[in-house]
Amino acid sequence: MNSTALRMSTLFLRTLREDPADADVDSARLLQRAGYIRKAAPGIWTWLPLGLRVLNKIEAVVREEINGIGAQEVHFPALLPREPYEATHRWEEYGDNIFRLKDRHDADYLLAPTHEEMFTLLVKDMYSSYKDLPVTLYQIQTKYRDEFRPRAGLVRGREFIMKDAYSFTIDEEGLRKAYNDERGAYERIFQRLGVNYVIVSAMSGPMGGSQSEEFLAPLAIGEDTFALAPSGKAWNVEALTTPKLDELDYSQIPAAEKRATPNATTVNGMIALADERYPRPDGRTWAATDILKNVVIAVKHPDGGENDKPWREVVVVGIPGDRQIDMKRLEAQFAPAEIEEANEADLKAHPELVPGYIGPMALGQQAKAKAGIERPVRYLIDAHVAKGSVWFTGADENEVDYYDLVYGRDFEADGTVEAVEVRPGDLSPDGSGALSLERGVEIGQVFQLGLKYSNALGLKVLNQNGKAVPVWMGCYGIGVSRVLACVAEAHHDAKGLAWPANIAPAQVHVLATGKDQAAFEAAEKLVGELESRGIEVLYDDRLKVSPGVKFKDSELIGVPLVAVVGRDTVNNGTIEIRCRDGSDSVAVPAAGAANALVERIAALR
Ligand code: ATP
Ligand code: MG
């Protein structure tokens, strides 16, 4: 018989009894122990037969859905020349994350972290008219990123597999359609793969462009934090906007007053001193929420300085005293500029910034009139500070603070920013109530790139009027190998993996147990029956392996249905069927076992 069953007597497999020393998450631990993958180097993995089967199945689901929206598969090299990445500035912008190398003639190459440039150039090479569009191309391919901290096995590799698709349309409306098609395909893909996901509005980061959403698998091992609203809508914290606050009534607030506050340069110091010397008239004690903290940061603009050169700007951000700056959220507001904490030289350049006593009156455009400062530091205020709110804050003199300083009455800001960390309980921008903060792993992302790459690389086509116009582009990635890890992360227990039926390496794991020749014959028969009905079988036909070891291995490997053919089969004519998820375990007559298994598989799918 021409059997295709995976026979464990010959399968290239060694399961491990012990956890690999450096496996930091369950999926990495179990995929190695069950013999799906093997570590080659940090963040670089070898695929073994079982792992490759699951990977191929995931890829097949991805292909089916992406082909289903009319995209066409191509395949680029992973080894690419420098020039196209130079043209889009990504040779530098990607920083240390790119693997760069030289050929023997000293020419620069890279191992592609993503392929926007190559797809853009390919379409430029071959297409020239609006009549050629729309077109969406994709590949499933190995990507390389020299991640600072490869971790969590396949979740953050340095070599990994990505599905990347790119849409090319004549106008923005076409882009929106392509984007929505792709987004719809993603939803079907993740549903079919049994991965939970949330769609999160995202900032598009170094990719550039406008609209972007991330698909996150809500998992505790994730490095991404997202904010979840009661409505089910979710945001990447960098993309979250604070709902606009109502203006407060300050008609009863007394005039602002300067008071001596020696040695009170921290929030706690200010509170302690104020409680002692200046008790509040309303009887409550002072709190961090009464204090306006003014934090000095440096903004590193990539251009726009003298001769359009990079320049450094000192900016002060006013935030409520009970909050902390979130540098990533704040930086997103200044993109493409980067930010860092201000240094001593930054402070020296602006003597009005009195350490420990920085206040809004000497800052921003208003400071020209109020403090006579000719070129004042830009002053931005956090979105949690309401107009009309009353503050205890610095007075720009050593050991002096202001009390009852009102935003909108006494001082103004040059703009509002999202500067502070998002907290559980903060209000959702969609008005549905309090946000919670969750952890997730990014499994996919869809971007409306717009014209960035077509402009940078000169991808133009003739429109209906014969005019050359740049092409609208979108790009769409799925981390195929990362998704595999996320499925394993979501589908396992203490004993091992427990794959969903449609991507498991096989649907049925037949175990022939004991030493009785008759049991092995019965098992062989069952395998044949299952195969003739199109079921994929993993068959444990090892002769000198104990039942205990076979059970342990089957729990580790995680095929959804296990059929035990052993002493009971020989003595009572029954085969035991176990569901790997623990939901069921029954003895069925050997003659009806194949049918019973087929029925159960149908129910699992
Ligand atoms: P991350 O923020 O996790 O580093 P990214 O936003 O940089 O990811 P993209 O450039 O959007 O990643 O790549 C598309 C997809 O490729 C991601 O959504 C993710 O699923 C996957 N991916 C990215 N980096 C890795 C990696 N180092 N290992 C495995 N998969 C990855
Ligand atoms: Mg991304």
Side-chain angles (χ1 to χ4, degrees), residues 350-373:
H350 298 278
E352 72 271 29
L353 303 176
V354 182
Y357 295 90
I358 298 171
M361 301 299 268
L363 301 167
Q365 284 310 313
Q366 54 159 21
K368 264 187 215 159
K370 294 200 170 109
I373 293 165

Side-chain angles (χ1 to χ4, degrees), residues 12 42 70 112 124 140 167 194 235-236 287 319 371 405 433 493 508 587:
F12 189 65
K124 179 181 174 183
I140 295 179
S167 67
W235 294 262
N236 182 318
I319 65 171
L405 202 66
D493 59 21
V508 180

Side-chain angles (χ1 to χ4, degrees), residues 145 147 154-157 160 162 442-445 479 482:
R145 294 184 188 178
E147 299 279 359
L154 299 171
V155 171
R156 187 170 297 286
F160 60 97
M162 196 201 289
E442 183 188 318
I443 47 179
Q445 181 154 24
R482 180 181 280 186

Side-chain angles (χ1 to χ4, degrees), residues 133-136 167-176 178 461 470-474:
L133 303 179
V135 66
T136 297
S167 67
F168 301 85
T169 54
I170 188 71
D171 54 23
E172 199 172 357
E173 198 188 321
L175 167 57
R176 274 197 290 273
V461 293
V471 172
W472 290 81
M473 285 176 59

Side-chain angles (χ1 to χ4, degrees), residues 506-579:
Q507 286 93 52
V508 180
H509 193 165
V510 175
L511 312 185
T513 62
K515 293 190 180 113
D516 201 324
Q517 176 67 22
F520 281 79
E521 277 162 18
E524 196 78 42
K525 182 156 169 277
L526 177 62
V527 170
E529 284 170 3
L530 289 169
E531 284 198 303
S532 70
R533 304 177 68 159
I535 307 292
E536 293 170 303
V537 181
L538 176 63
Y539 176 24
D540 199 341
D541 59 341
R542 292 175 294 178
L543 285 174
K544 285 182 183 150
V545 174
S546 77
V549 168
K550 291 188 175 182
F551 292 143
K552 276 222 156 57
D553 278 347
S554 80
E555 284 163 349
L556 202 50
I557 291 168
V559 169
L561 290 170
V562 181
V564 185
V565 187
R567 200 186 313 147
D568 285 350
T569 317
V570 179
N571 296 344
N572 323 324
T574 59
I575 286 175
E576 190 193 342
I577 297 177
R578 299 178 178 181
C579 289

Side-chain angles (χ1 to χ4, degrees), residues 1-7 524 527-528 531-532:
M1 192 182 79
N2 196 4
S3 170
T4 54
L6 294 169
R7 286 165 189 268
E524 196 78 42
V527 170
E531 284 198 303
S532 70

Side-chain angles (χ1 to χ4, degrees), residues 145 202-204 207 212-215 224 442-447 477 482:
R145 294 184 188 178
M203 290 259 179
S204 43
M207 289 279 194
S212 158
E213 288 164 299
E214 288 171 356
F215 286 70
D224 290 13
E442 183 188 318
I443 47 179
Q445 181 154 24
V446 285
F447 280 107
R482 180 181 280 186

